[in-house]
Amino acid sequence: MNPAAVRLVSLDVGYTLGEPSGMTLTQRLVELSPLPARQAKQIAQQLLHALDPRRDATAPQAVCAALGIATSAFPHDHSPPGFALWPGTVEAVARIARVVPVVTLSNVSHWDEQETDVAALLAPHLLAHHPSWQLGFAKPDARAVETVARIHGREPAEMLHVGDSLDYDIRGALAAGAHALWVTPRTPSTEALRLLAGHPGRVTVVPDLPRAVEHIEQITLPSTHMIRSSTP
């Protein structure tokens, strides 16, 4: 990865910075769908998370049809869960913000975000919060990353996206031509290693958020060796 190329960092939110305190609407719909769970989740991510119901009153019907659920079964009584940042997250985001502008890029539905103000939770360190339902695109759709880059006057190649999901965060970043930082404590599978091998130098794997912060600092701050070398 070329350190000079990183001009903007985008952070996934759910299970990268914290977690919801209850069931999300996506999880409820996946349980209701007769489709295999992984397939149902992918459909929900691409449809539900990219919909703004204030502009499209038929959104619930379209999601139900794609998931094989009766329209009458849509959980209109859904109570959005709260969201709790993990310990140390605010400090981690603050450290990143000291070396490079940082935003969030989150797959989340309008229904689930009503009770959570992510920008306020991470203030004043966050440049902007970009939920998928406002963007109109959900990861791994390359347009999610491309849109955020454009909003901030950058090319996707100048972005580093940080997230916990291979299927959504990493594939989405790579599809857009951005760099990716995969936060996972697990050993990558053969399938994952094959994907990473196809994009040499564009993906780094770290076990947790503190290591992600250290990596970002290392690639954006001049090293001690470089400082000493330039001193007469």
Side-chain angles (χ1 to χ4, degrees):
M1 183 184 298
N2 178 6
V6 178
R7 308 284 296 280
L8 180 69
V9 168
S10 59
L11 301 172
D12 172 52
V13 176
Y15 304 103
T16 297
L17 303 181
E19 62 185 322
S21 57
M23 282 194 73
T24 66
L25 181 59
T26 301
Q27 290 168 335
R28 291 186 67 181
L29 289 170
V30 169
E31 283 193 349
L32 290 170
S33 175
L35 299 174
R38 182 171 180 177
Q39 181 184 356
K41 182 180 178 182
Q42 289 173 335
I43 292 172
Q45 291 274 32
Q46 293 308 293
L47 294 180
L48 185 75
H49 289 185
L51 290 173
D52 185 344
R54 300 172 303 179
R55 293 196 295 261
D56 184 0
T58 66
Q61 294 95 308
V63 172
C64 286
L67 291 173
I69 302 170
T71 301
S72 60
F74 188 87
H76 290 286
D77 62 343
H78 178 68
S79 297
F83 185 83
L85 295 174
W86 287 328
T89 292
V90 174
E91 293 80 3
V93 174
R95 282 175 59 183
I96 298 171
R98 283 197 287 269
V99 296
V100 63
V102 58
V103 301
T104 51
L105 172 52
S106 175
N107 276 9
V108 64
S109 75
H110 164 80
W111 292 269
D112 282 320
E113 202 174 47
Q114 293 180 60
E115 296 299 316
T116 302
D117 187 341
V118 173
L121 290 176
L122 296 172
H125 315 296
L126 204 63
L127 184 61
H129 171 54
H130 297 292
S132 57
W133 69 267
Q134 288 186 357
L135 292 174
F137 307 108
K139 300 167 294 185
D141 189 329
R143 291 173 293 181
V145 173
E146 291 166 353
T147 300
V148 170
R150 184 172 64 251
I151 288 171
H152 295 283
R154 299 298 181 198
E155 295 296 325
E158 297 177 298
M159 276 184 64
L160 171 65
H161 180 67
V162 183
D164 69 296
S165 171
L166 176 72
D167 287 338
Y168 300 101
D169 295 302
I170 307 310
R171 291 186 189 277
L174 293 176
H179 302 287
L181 190 52
W182 185 15
V183 182
T184 177
R186 304 179 192 86
T187 301
S189 66
T190 302
E191 176 192 0
L193 291 174
R194 212 167 15 238
L195 174 68
L196 304 188
H199 300 274
R202 289 179 54 202
V203 183
T204 301
V205 182
V206 294
D208 50 38
L209 187 59
R211 298 289 183 86
V213 174
E214 291 174 6
H215 175 77
I216 292 168
E217 289 174 334
Q218 288 169 3
I219 66 172
T220 54
L221 289 172
S223 68
T224 304
H225 173 74
M226 291 173 63
I227 293 173
R228 287 174 178 168
S229 297
S230 61
T231 303

